[in-house]
Amino acid sequence: MRAARLIKMVLLLQSRPSMTAGELARELEVSERTITRDAQALSEAGVPVYANRGRSGGYRLIGGYRTRLTGLARGEAEALFLSGVPGALREMGLDDISSAARLKVSAALLPSLRDAPAAAAQRFHLDAPGWYQEPGTPELLPAVAEAVWGDRLVAARYLRKDVEVERELAPYGLVLKAGVWYLCAATEGTFRVYRIERFTAVEPLQERFSREETFDLPAFWEERAAEFARSLLHTEIEVRLSPEGARRLPYVADRVAATEAVGAAAPADAEGRITVTLPVESEEVAYTQLLTLGPDAEVLAPDTLRRRFAEAAARMRDLYR
């Protein structure tokens, strides 16, 4: 434990001109007294750690000392590619590995380039969760993530429509979609998607699995996400759209379905409006979505939905008289 801390202390001092005892103590999560003892131990071991006294003092390495302890372990290298999503790393239990990897990279950089990580962090940030919700971290996510990273089979129990089922899974990859975690796994000769929060138990097995070299996680997820979205569209409605309504429709309804509906529409009428047949999840959902288009969308069918819009328009007119 102490050896790892001493190495990390050297890397910290190598990546910065100097650091105070307080700064080192916070980074290494020890007391300032421990920092003093560690600095003395490094000096006795031949590492040229120099302490400046006084208010603006601190520890630094002298004589251009460079350690060769900057090689990345495999886990650190893998975690480094996720360093742009710190929240996701933290939830998967990989934040310590990622921190060590970033520190090693910083220590290996030339002094003129050491501000590059901070500069990049100030210019790009991925905020995966959606708006207006408090995403929770599934309790079993770290166990699932460990199995994914280790290519280890798991025995899992999963709630499917409130019925608990058991499966042996080969966990291929994790997806974070709008703050919700999903597992893409192989089972019984096919690939499926599981919502992590619906797992009730996950037990990593000793046996590992061999990945199919042709499996492409982003492509698989895109295909399954599109299939899922299409499976929800059980109803069709007929809508007359202004040019502005046609432009905005993909932003309020299912993007693919709306784009295809507008593309398949007959030429515009004398008023410049087109009539589309739009697949929707339900009349209730369509009402909520199309209401945002206001006068740029006229529902023609079914009659029940058209009447509902007429009633809403009448209430709106009375409200603004």
Side-chain angles (χ1 to χ4, degrees), residues 124-142:
F124 176 76
H125 173 68
L126 176 61
D127 183 10
W131 291 100
Y132 314 121
Q133 60 175 324
E134 275 302 325
T137 302
E139 182 180 349
L140 295 175
L141 176 61

Side-chain angles (χ1 to χ4, degrees), residues 23-232:
E23 291 171 337
L24 285 167
R26 285 191 295 274
E27 287 280 356
L28 299 174
E29 299 180 350
V30 295
S31 67
E32 292 188 23
R33 186 183 296 273
T34 299
I35 294 298
T36 301
R37 290 197 296 265
D38 285 353
Q40 183 177 351
L42 287 171
S43 181
E44 292 173 354
V47 178
V49 178
Y50 178 77
N52 288 318
R53 306 297 179 183
R55 179 178 298 179
S56 59
Y59 292 93
R60 63 186 178 88
L61 296 175
I62 60 175
Y65 180 83
R66 305 287 294 175
T67 176
R68 296 183 180 275
L69 299 173
T70 53
L72 291 179
R74 179 178 177 84
E76 293 169 341
E78 291 171 341
L80 188 61
F81 284 98
L82 291 170
S83 59
V85 282
L89 281 167
R90 185 169 52 252
E91 292 180 11
M92 289 189 289
L94 298 174
D95 48 339
D96 287 342
I97 295 176
S98 176
S99 174
R102 289 195 300 272
L103 184 58
K104 288 182 178 181
V105 169
S106 295
L109 291 174
L110 294 172
S112 61
L113 299 178
R114 283 180 188 156
D115 66 339
Q122 292 301 319
R123 288 163 175 78
F124 176 76
H125 173 68
L126 176 61
D127 183 10
W131 291 100
Y132 314 121
Q133 60 175 324
E134 275 302 325
T137 302
E139 182 180 349
L140 295 175
L141 176 61
V144 175
E146 184 177 356
V148 169
W149 248 253
D151 293 340
R152 193 178 297 277
L153 293 171
V154 298
R157 292 202 298 272
Y158 181 83
L159 284 177
R160 177 172 293 165
K161 296 181 179 179
D162 299 325
V163 176
E164 193 174 65
V165 296
E166 295 186 19
R167 292 285 186 275
E168 183 176 291
L169 305 175
Y172 268 67
L174 290 165
V175 174
L176 178 60
K177 170 68 172 178
V180 180
W181 285 95
Y182 296 89
L183 172 67
C184 301
T187 181
E188 300 176 351
T190 186
F191 286 96
R192 296 180 180 175
V193 176
Y194 299 86
R195 189 161 172 157
I196 299 292
E197 64 186 23
R198 296 187 67 83
F199 282 112
T200 58
V202 173
E203 181 185 352
L205 304 178
Q206 292 300 317
E207 184 181 355
R208 298 179 185 272
F209 66 93
S210 297
R211 288 175 167 267
E212 290 188 15
E213 294 184 1
T214 57
F215 180 78
D216 184 329
L217 180 60
F220 170 78
W221 175 257
E222 183 177 0
E223 179 183 347
R224 288 303 172 91
E227 289 178 1
F228 176 73
R230 286 194 298 270
S231 71
L232 297 177

